[in-house]
Coordinates of all heavy atoms in Angstrom, one line a residue:
M1 N 21.2 -94.6 -51.4 CA 21.2 -93.7 -50.3 C 22.6 -93.2 -50.0 O 23.6 -93.9 -49.8 CB 20.7 -94.4 -49.1 CG 20.6 -93.5 -47.9 SD 20.4 -94.5 -46.4 CE 19.1 -95.6 -47.0
T2 N 22.8 -91.9 -50.0 CA 24.1 -91.3 -49.8 C 24.2 -90.4 -48.6 O 25.2 -90.0 -48.2 CB 24.5 -90.4 -51.0 OG1 23.5 -89.4 -51.2 CG2 24.6 -91.3 -52.3
E3 N 23.0 -90.2 -48.0 CA 23.0 -89.2 -46.9 C 22.0 -89.6 -45.9 O 20.9 -90.1 -46.2 CB 22.7 -87.8 -47.5 CG 23.0 -86.7 -46.5 CD 22.6 -85.4 -47.2 OE1 22.7 -85.2 -48.4 OE2 22.2 -84.4 -46.5
V4 N 22.3 -89.4 -44.6 CA 21.4 -89.7 -43.5 C 21.0 -88.4 -42.8 O 21.9 -87.7 -42.4 CB 22.0 -90.7 -42.5 CG1 21.1 -90.8 -41.3 CG2 22.3 -92.0 -43.1
S5 N 19.8 -88.1 -42.8 CA 19.3 -86.9 -42.1 C 18.6 -87.5 -40.8 O 18.4 -88.7 -40.7 CB 18.3 -86.1 -42.9 OG 17.1 -86.8 -43.1
C6 N 18.1 -86.6 -39.9 CA 17.4 -87.0 -38.8 C 16.1 -87.7 -39.2 O 15.8 -88.7 -38.6 CB 17.1 -85.9 -37.8 SG 18.6 -85.2 -37.0
K7 N 15.5 -87.2 -40.2 CA 14.2 -87.8 -40.6 C 14.4 -89.3 -41.1 O 13.7 -90.2 -40.6 CB 13.6 -87.0 -41.7 CG 12.2 -87.4 -42.1 CD 11.6 -86.4 -43.1 CE 10.2 -86.9 -43.5 NZ 10.1 -88.1 -44.2
T8 N 15.3 -89.5 -42.0 CA 15.6 -90.8 -42.5 C 16.3 -91.6 -41.4 O 16.1 -92.8 -41.2 CB 16.4 -90.9 -43.7 OG1 17.6 -90.2 -43.5 CG2 15.7 -90.2 -44.9
G9 N 17.1 -90.9 -40.6 CA 17.8 -91.5 -39.5 C 17.0 -92.3 -38.5 O 17.2 -93.4 -38.2
V10 N 15.9 -91.6 -38.0 CA 15.1 -92.2 -37.0 C 14.4 -93.5 -37.5 O 14.3 -94.5 -36.8 CB 14.0 -91.2 -36.5 CG1 12.9 -91.9 -35.7 CG2 14.6 -90.1 -35.7
E11 N 14.0 -93.5 -38.8 CA 13.4 -94.7 -39.4 C 14.5 -95.8 -39.5 O 14.3 -96.9 -39.1 CB 12.9 -94.4 -40.8 CG 11.6 -93.6 -40.7 CD 11.2 -92.9 -42.0 OE1 11.8 -93.4 -43.0 OE2 10.4 -92.0 -42.0
L12 N 15.7 -95.4 -39.9 CA 16.8 -96.4 -40.1 C 17.3 -96.9 -38.7 O 17.7 -98.0 -38.6 CB 17.9 -95.8 -40.9 CG 17.7 -95.6 -42.4 CD1 18.8 -94.8 -43.0 CD2 17.6 -97.0 -43.0
L13 N 17.2 -96.0 -37.7 CA 17.7 -96.3 -36.4 C 17.0 -97.5 -35.8 O 17.6 -98.4 -35.2 CB 17.6 -95.1 -35.5 CG 18.7 -94.1 -35.6 CD1 18.4 -92.9 -34.8 CD2 20.1 -94.6 -35.3
M14 N 15.7 -97.6 -36.1 CA 14.9 -98.7 -35.6 C 15.5 -100.0 -36.2 O 15.7 -101.0 -35.4 CB 13.4 -98.6 -36.0 CG 12.8 -97.3 -35.6 SD 12.8 -97.1 -33.8 CE 11.6 -98.3 -33.3
D15 N 15.8 -100.0 -37.5 CA 16.4 -101.2 -38.1 C 17.8 -101.4 -37.6 O 18.2 -102.6 -37.3 CB 16.4 -101.1 -39.6 CG 15.0 -101.1 -40.2 OD1 14.1 -101.7 -39.6 OD2 14.8 -100.6 -41.3
Y16 N 18.5 -100.3 -37.5 CA 19.9 -100.4 -37.0 C 20.0 -101.0 -35.6 O 20.8 -101.9 -35.4 CB 20.4 -99.0 -36.9 CG 21.7 -98.8 -36.2 CD1 22.9 -99.3 -36.7 CD2 21.8 -98.2 -34.9 CE1 24.1 -99.2 -36.0 CE2 23.0 -98.1 -34.2 CZ 24.1 -98.5 -34.8 OH 25.3 -98.4 -34.1
L17 N 19.1 -100.6 -34.7 CA 19.1 -101.1 -33.4 C 18.7 -102.6 -33.3 O 19.0 -103.3 -32.4 CB 18.2 -100.3 -32.5 CG 18.7 -98.9 -32.2 CD1 17.6 -98.0 -31.6 CD2 19.9 -99.0 -31.2
E18 N 18.0 -103.1 -34.3 CA 17.6 -104.5 -34.4 C 18.6 -105.3 -35.2 O 18.4 -106.4 -35.5 CB 16.2 -104.6 -35.0 CG 15.2 -104.1 -34.0 CD 13.8 -103.9 -34.7 OE1 13.6 -104.4 -35.8 OE2 12.9 -103.3 -34.0
G19 N 19.7 -104.6 -35.7 CA 20.7 -105.3 -36.4 C 20.3 -105.6 -37.8 O 20.9 -106.6 -38.4
A20 N 19.4 -104.9 -38.3 CA 18.8 -105.2 -39.6 C 19.2 -104.3 -40.8 O 18.5 -104.2 -41.8 CB 17.2 -105.2 -39.5
V21 N 20.3 -103.6 -40.6 CA 20.8 -102.8 -41.7 C 22.1 -103.3 -42.3 O 22.8 -104.0 -41.6 CB 21.0 -101.3 -41.3 CG1 19.6 -100.7 -40.9 CG2 21.9 -101.2 -40.1
Q22 N 22.3 -102.9 -43.6 CA 23.6 -103.3 -44.2 C 24.7 -102.5 -43.6 O 24.5 -101.5 -42.9 CB 23.5 -102.9 -45.7 CG 22.3 -103.4 -46.4 CD 22.5 -104.8 -46.9 OE1 23.6 -105.2 -47.1 NE2 21.4 -105.5 -47.0
D23 N 25.9 -103.0 -43.8 CA 27.1 -102.4 -43.2 C 27.3 -101.0 -43.6 O 27.7 -100.1 -42.8 CB 28.4 -103.2 -43.5 CG 28.5 -104.5 -42.7 OD1 27.7 -104.6 -41.7 OD2 29.3 -105.3 -42.9
D24 N 27.0 -100.7 -44.9 CA 27.3 -99.3 -45.4 C 26.3 -98.4 -44.8 O 26.6 -97.2 -44.4 CB 27.3 -99.3 -46.9 CG 26.0 -99.8 -47.5 OD1 25.2 -100.5 -46.8 OD2 25.7 -99.5 -48.7
V25 N 25.0 -98.8 -44.6 CA 24.0 -98.0 -43.9 C 24.4 -97.8 -42.5 O 24.2 -96.6 -41.9 CB 22.6 -98.6 -44.0 CG1 21.6 -97.8 -43.3 CG2 22.2 -98.8 -45.5
R26 N 24.9 -98.8 -41.8 CA 25.2 -98.7 -40.4 C 26.4 -97.6 -40.3 O 26.3 -96.8 -39.3 CB 25.7 -100.0 -39.9 CG 26.0 -100.0 -38.4 CD 26.1 -101.3 -37.8 NE 27.1 -102.1 -38.4 CZ 27.1 -103.4 -38.7 NH1 26.0 -104.0 -38.5 NH2 28.1 -104.0 -39.3
T27 N 27.3 -97.7 -41.2 CA 28.4 -96.7 -41.1 C 27.9 -95.3 -41.3 O 28.3 -94.4 -40.5 CB 29.4 -97.0 -42.2 OG1 29.9 -98.3 -42.1 CG2 30.6 -96.0 -42.2
L28 N 26.9 -95.1 -42.2 CA 26.4 -93.7 -42.4 C 25.6 -93.3 -41.2 O 25.7 -92.2 -40.7 CB 25.4 -93.8 -43.6 CG 26.0 -93.8 -45.0 CD1 24.9 -94.1 -46.0 CD2 26.7 -92.5 -45.3
L29 N 24.9 -94.2 -40.6 CA 24.1 -93.9 -39.4 C 25.0 -93.5 -38.2 O 24.8 -92.5 -37.5 CB 23.2 -95.0 -38.9 CG 21.9 -95.1 -39.6 CD1 21.2 -96.5 -39.3 CD2 21.0 -94.0 -39.1
E30 N 26.1 -94.3 -38.0 CA 27.0 -94.1 -36.9 C 27.7 -92.7 -37.1 O 27.9 -92.0 -36.1 CB 28.0 -95.2 -36.8 CG 27.3 -96.4 -36.2 CD 28.2 -97.7 -36.2 OE1 29.2 -97.7 -36.9 OE2 27.8 -98.7 -35.6
S31 N 28.0 -92.4 -38.3 CA 28.7 -91.1 -38.5 C 27.7 -89.9 -38.3 O 28.1 -88.9 -37.8 CB 29.4 -91.0 -39.8 OG 28.4 -91.0 -40.9
H32 N 26.5 -90.1 -38.6 CA 25.5 -89.1 -38.4 C 25.2 -89.0 -36.8 O 25.2 -87.9 -36.3 CB 24.1 -89.4 -39.0 CG 23.0 -88.5 -38.7 ND1 22.8 -87.3 -39.3 CD2 22.1 -88.6 -37.7 CE1 21.8 -86.7 -38.7 NE2 21.3 -87.5 -37.8
V33 N 25.0 -90.1 -36.2 CA 24.7 -90.1 -34.7 C 25.8 -89.4 -33.9 O 25.6 -88.7 -33.0 CB 24.4 -91.5 -34.2 CG1 24.3 -91.5 -32.7 CG2 23.1 -92.0 -34.9
D34 N 27.1 -89.7 -34.4 CA 28.3 -89.1 -33.7 C 28.1 -87.6 -33.6 O 28.5 -87.0 -32.6 CB 29.5 -89.4 -34.6 CG 30.2 -90.6 -34.0 OD1 29.8 -91.2 -33.0 OD2 31.2 -91.1 -34.6
G35 N 27.6 -86.9 -34.7 CA 27.5 -85.5 -34.7 C 26.1 -85.0 -34.4 O 25.8 -83.8 -34.6
C36 N 25.2 -85.8 -33.9 CA 23.8 -85.4 -33.8 C 23.3 -85.8 -32.4 O 22.9 -87.0 -32.2 CB 23.0 -86.1 -34.9 SG 21.2 -85.5 -34.8
P37 N 23.2 -84.9 -31.4 CA 22.7 -85.1 -30.1 C 21.3 -85.7 -30.1 O 20.9 -86.5 -29.3 CB 22.8 -83.8 -29.4 CG 23.8 -83.0 -30.2 CD 23.7 -83.5 -31.6
K38 N 20.5 -85.2 -31.1 CA 19.1 -85.7 -31.1 C 19.0 -87.1 -31.4 O 18.3 -87.9 -30.7 CB 18.3 -84.9 -32.2 CG 17.8 -83.5 -31.7 CD 16.8 -82.9 -32.7 CE 17.5 -82.5 -34.0 NZ 16.5 -81.8 -34.9
C39 N 19.8 -87.6 -32.3 CA 19.7 -89.0 -32.7 C 20.4 -89.9 -31.6 O 19.9 -91.0 -31.3 CB 20.3 -89.3 -34.0 SG 19.3 -88.7 -35.4
A40 N 21.4 -89.3 -31.0 CA 22.1 -90.0 -29.9 C 21.1 -90.2 -28.7 O 21.0 -91.3 -28.1 CB 23.3 -89.3 -29.4
A41 N 20.3 -89.1 -28.5 CA 19.3 -89.2 -27.4 C 18.2 -90.2 -27.7 O 17.7 -90.9 -26.9 CB 18.7 -87.8 -27.1
F42 N 17.9 -90.3 -29.0 CA 16.9 -91.2 -29.5 C 17.3 -92.7 -29.2 O 16.6 -93.5 -28.7 CB 16.6 -91.0 -31.0 CG 15.6 -92.1 -31.5 CD1 14.3 -91.9 -31.3 CD2 16.1 -93.2 -32.2 CE1 13.4 -92.9 -31.8 CE2 15.3 -94.1 -32.7 CZ 13.9 -94.0 -32.5
I43 N 18.6 -92.9 -29.6 CA 19.1 -94.3 -29.3 C 19.2 -94.6 -27.8 O 18.8 -95.7 -27.4 CB 20.6 -94.4 -29.9 CG1 20.5 -94.4 -31.4 CG2 21.3 -95.6 -29.4 CD1 21.8 -94.5 -32.1
A44 N 19.6 -93.6 -27.0 CA 19.6 -93.9 -25.6 C 18.3 -94.2 -25.0 O 18.1 -95.1 -24.2 CB 20.2 -92.6 -24.9
S45 N 17.2 -93.4 -25.5 CA 15.9 -93.7 -24.9 C 15.4 -95.0 -25.5 O 14.7 -95.7 -24.8 CB 15.0 -92.5 -25.2 OG 14.7 -92.4 -26.6
Y46 N 15.7 -95.3 -26.7 CA 15.2 -96.6 -27.3 C 15.8 -97.8 -26.5 O 15.2 -98.7 -26.2 CB 15.6 -96.7 -28.8 CG 15.2 -97.9 -29.5 CD1 13.9 -98.0 -30.1 CD2 16.0 -99.1 -29.4 CE1 13.5 -99.2 -30.7 CE2 15.5 -100.3 -30.0 CZ 14.3 -100.3 -30.6 OH 13.9 -101.5 -31.2
L47 N 17.1 -97.7 -26.2 CA 17.8 -98.7 -25.5 C 17.3 -98.9 -24.1 O 17.3 -100.0 -23.5 CB 19.3 -98.5 -25.5 CG 20.0 -98.6 -26.9 CD1 21.5 -98.3 -26.8 CD2 19.8 -100.1 -27.4
A48 N 16.8 -97.8 -23.5 CA 16.3 -97.9 -22.2 C 14.9 -98.5 -22.2 O 14.4 -99.0 -21.1 CB 16.2 -96.5 -21.6
T49 N 14.2 -98.4 -23.3 CA 12.8 -98.9 -23.3 C 12.6 -100.4 -23.0 O 11.7 -100.7 -22.2 CB 12.1 -98.5 -24.6 OG1 12.2 -97.1 -24.8 CG2 10.7 -98.9 -24.7
P50 N 13.3 -101.2 -23.7 CA 13.0 -102.7 -23.5 C 13.0 -103.1 -22.0 O 12.2 -103.9 -21.6 CB 14.1 -103.4 -24.3 CG 14.4 -102.4 -25.3 CD 14.3 -101.0 -24.6
R51 N 14.0 -102.5 -21.2 CA 14.1 -102.9 -19.8 C 12.8 -102.5 -19.1 O 12.3 -103.3 -18.3 CB 15.3 -102.3 -19.2 CG 15.7 -102.9 -17.9 CD 16.9 -102.2 -17.3 NE 16.7 -100.8 -17.0 CZ 17.4 -99.8 -17.4 NH1 18.4 -100.1 -18.2 NH2 17.1 -98.6 -17.1
I52 N 12.4 -101.3 -19.4 CA 11.1 -100.8 -18.7 C 10.0 -101.6 -19.1 O 9.2 -102.0 -18.2 CB 10.9 -99.3 -19.1 CG1 12.0 -98.4 -18.5 CG2 9.5 -98.8 -18.7 CD1 12.1 -97.1 -19.1
V53 N 9.9 -101.9 -20.4 CA 8.7 -102.8 -20.8 C 8.8 -104.1 -20.2 O 7.8 -104.7 -19.8 CB 8.8 -102.9 -22.4 CG1 7.7 -103.9 -22.8 CG2 8.5 -101.5 -23.0
R54 N 10.0 -104.7 -20.1 CA 10.1 -106.0 -19.5 C 9.7 -106.0 -18.1 O 9.0 -106.9 -17.6 CB 11.6 -106.5 -19.6 CG 11.8 -108.0 -19.6 CD 13.1 -108.4 -20.2 NE 14.2 -107.6 -19.7 CZ 15.1 -107.0 -20.5 NH1 15.0 -107.0 -21.8 NH2 16.1 -106.3 -19.9
E55 N 10.1 -105.0 -17.3 CA 9.7 -104.9 -15.9 C 8.2 -104.8 -15.8 O 7.6 -105.4 -14.9 CB 10.4 -103.7 -15.3 CG 11.9 -104.0 -15.0 CD 12.7 -102.8 -14.6 OE1 12.1 -101.7 -14.5 OE2 13.9 -102.9 -14.4
A56 N 7.6 -103.9 -16.6 CA 6.1 -103.7 -16.6 C 5.4 -105.0 -16.9 O 4.4 -105.4 -16.3 CB 5.7 -102.6 -17.6
T57 N 6.0 -105.8 -17.9 CA 5.3 -107.0 -18.3 C 5.4 -108.0 -17.2 O 4.5 -108.7 -16.9 CB 6.0 -107.6 -19.6 OG1 6.0 -106.6 -20.6 CG2 5.3 -108.8 -20.1
A58 N 6.6 -108.1 -16.6 CA 6.7 -109.1 -15.5 C 5.8 -108.8 -14.3 O 5.2 -109.7 -13.7 CB 8.2 -109.1 -15.0
A59 N 5.7 -107.5 -14.0 CA 4.8 -107.1 -12.9 C 3.3 -107.4 -13.2 O 2.5 -107.7 -12.4 CB 5.0 -105.6 -12.6
A60 N 3.0 -107.3 -14.5 CA 1.6 -107.5 -14.9 C 1.2 -108.9 -15.2 O 0.1 -109.2 -15.4 CB 1.3 -106.6 -16.2
M61 N 2.2 -109.8 -15.2 CA 2.0 -111.2 -15.5 C 1.2 -111.9 -14.4 O 1.6 -111.9 -13.3 CB 3.3 -111.9 -15.7 CG 3.2 -113.3 -16.4 SD 4.8 -114.1 -16.6 CE 5.5 -113.2 -18.0
P62 N 0.0 -112.5 -14.8 CA -0.8 -113.2 -13.8 C 0.0 -114.4 -13.2 O 0.8 -115.0 -14.0 CB -2.0 -113.7 -14.6 CG -2.0 -113.0 -15.9 CD -0.5 -112.5 -16.1
P63 N -0.3 -114.7 -12.0 CA 0.5 -115.8 -11.3 C 0.4 -117.1 -12.1 O 1.3 -117.9 -12.2 CB -0.2 -115.9 -9.9 CG -0.8 -114.6 -9.7 CD -1.2 -114.0 -11.0
E64 N -0.8 -117.4 -12.6 CA -1.0 -118.7 -13.3 C -0.1 -118.7 -14.6 O 0.4 -119.8 -15.0 CB -2.5 -119.0 -13.7 CG -3.1 -118.0 -14.6 CD -3.8 -116.9 -13.8 OE1 -3.4 -116.6 -12.6 OE2 -4.8 -116.2 -14.3
L65 N 0.0 -117.5 -15.2 CA 0.9 -117.5 -16.4 C 2.4 -117.7 -16.0 O 3.1 -118.4 -16.7 CB 0.7 -116.1 -17.1 CG 1.5 -116.0 -18.4 CD1 1.1 -117.1 -19.4 CD2 1.1 -114.6 -19.1
Q66 N 2.7 -117.0 -14.9 CA 4.1 -117.2 -14.4 C 4.4 -118.7 -14.1 O 5.4 -119.2 -14.5 CB 4.3 -116.4 -13.1 CG 4.4 -114.9 -13.4 CD 4.8 -114.2 -12.1 OE1 5.6 -114.7 -11.3 NE2 4.2 -113.0 -11.9
E67 N 3.4 -119.4 -13.5 CA 3.6 -120.8 -13.2 C 3.7 -121.7 -14.5 O 4.5 -122.5 -14.6 CB 2.4 -121.3 -12.4 CG 2.6 -121.0 -10.9 CD 1.5 -121.5 -10.0 OE1 0.9 -122.5 -10.4 OE2 1.2 -120.8 -9.0
S68 N 2.8 -121.4 -15.5 CA 2.9 -122.2 -16.7 C 4.2 -121.9 -17.4 O 4.8 -122.8 -18.1 CB 1.7 -122.0 -17.6 OG 1.6 -120.6 -17.9
L69 N 4.7 -120.6 -17.3 CA 5.9 -120.3 -17.9 C 7.1 -121.0 -17.2 O 8.0 -121.6 -17.9 CB 6.2 -118.8 -17.9 CG 7.5 -118.3 -18.5 CD1 7.5 -118.6 -20.0 CD2 7.6 -116.8 -18.3
L70 N 7.0 -121.1 -15.9 CA 8.1 -121.8 -15.2 C 8.0 -123.3 -15.5 O 9.1 -123.9 -15.7 CB 7.9 -121.6 -13.7 CG 8.4 -120.2 -13.1 CD1 7.9 -120.0 -11.7 CD2 9.9 -120.1 -13.2
A71 N 6.8 -123.8 -15.6 CA 6.7 -125.2 -15.9 C 7.3 -125.5 -17.3 O 8.0 -126.5 -17.5 CB 5.2 -125.6 -15.9
F72 N 7.0 -124.6 -18.2 CA 7.5 -124.7 -19.6 C 9.1 -124.7 -19.6 O 9.7 -125.5 -20.2 CB 7.0 -123.6 -20.5 CG 7.6 -123.5 -21.8 CD1 7.2 -124.4 -22.8 CD2 8.6 -122.6 -22.1 CE1 7.8 -124.4 -24.1 CE2 9.2 -122.5 -23.4 CZ 8.8 -123.4 -24.3
L73 N 9.6 -123.8 -18.8 CA 11.1 -123.6 -18.8 C 11.7 -124.9 -18.1 O 12.8 -125.3 -18.5 CB 11.5 -122.4 -18.0 CG 11.1 -121.0 -18.7 CD1 11.4 -119.9 -17.8 CD2 11.9 -120.9 -20.0
R74 N 11.0 -125.4 -17.1 CA 11.6 -126.6 -16.4 C 11.5 -127.8 -17.4 O 12.5 -128.6 -17.5 CB 10.7 -126.9 -15.2 CG 11.2 -126.2 -14.0 CD 10.5 -126.8 -12.7 NE 10.0 -125.7 -11.8 CZ 8.8 -125.3 -11.6 NH1 7.8 -126.0 -12.2 NH2 8.5 -124.3 -10.9
A75 N 10.5 -127.9 -18.1 CA 10.3 -129.0 -19.1 C 11.4 -128.8 -20.2 O 12.0 -129.8 -20.6 CB 9.0 -128.9 -19.8
Q76 N 11.7 -127.6 -20.6 CA 12.8 -127.4 -21.6 C 14.1 -127.8 -21.1 O 14.9 -128.5 -21.7 CB 12.8 -125.9 -21.9 CG 11.7 -125.3 -22.7 CD 11.6 -125.8 -24.1 OE1 12.6 -125.7 -24.9 NE2 10.5 -126.5 -24.5
R77 N 14.4 -127.5 -19.8 CA 15.6 -127.8 -19.2 C 15.8 -129.3 -19.0 O 16.8 -129.8 -19.2 CB 15.8 -127.0 -17.9 CG 17.2 -126.8 -17.4 CD 17.2 -126.1 -16.1 NE 16.5 -124.9 -16.1 CZ 15.8 -124.4 -15.1 NH1 15.8 -125.0 -13.9 NH2 15.2 -123.2 -15.2
G78 N 14.7 -129.9 -18.6 CA 14.7 -131.3 -18.3 C 14.7 -132.2 -19.6 O 15.2 -133.3 -19.7
G79 N 14.2 -131.5 -20.7 CA 13.9 -132.2 -21.9 C 15.1 -132.9 -22.6 O 15.0 -133.8 -23.3
Ligands
ZN1 ZN1 20.1 -86.8 -36.3

């Protein structure tokens, strides 16, 4: 691979954001994103997503699940 376009970039960005790309690929991506508002916006929205999902998940978590999770965490800490 010698070139990163938006099309290949978006696919690679998913790996990039998970830290799953080689250093040379990361360098190519970063230089592309530097000059590409579309990919920069994609990264920004991707980075914003996990927090939203986490909040939604926490809100949707049933009380009994929260309690068993807390019990698990307490057991881990005491373990
Ligand atoms: Zn791009």
Side-chain angles (χ1 to χ4, degrees):
M1 182 194 314
T2 57
E3 196 177 329
V4 171
S5 69
C6 289
K7 186 173 179 296
T8 57
V10 168
E11 289 163 14
L12 286 170
L13 281 171
M14 303 302 288
D15 290 339
Y16 166 73
L17 289 164
E18 288 166 13
V21 294
Q22 308 278 333
D23 283 352
D24 57 341
V25 176
R26 186 166 60 223
T27 303
L28 285 170
L29 274 170
E30 284 172 350
S31 67
H32 173 82
V33 171
D34 265 355
C36 182
K38 277 193 290 187
C39 286
F42 174 82
I43 289 182
S45 67
Y46 182 90
L47 290 177
T49 300
R51 193 180 65 236
I52 293 165
V53 170
R54 202 159 51 232
E55 284 168 5
T57 304
M61 191 182 283
E64 62 268 25
L65 183 56
Q66 287 187 38
E67 276 180 32
S68 60
L69 181 62
L70 281 172
F72 172 77
L73 291 173
R74 273 190 224 110
Q76 291 289 304
R77 203 180 305 146

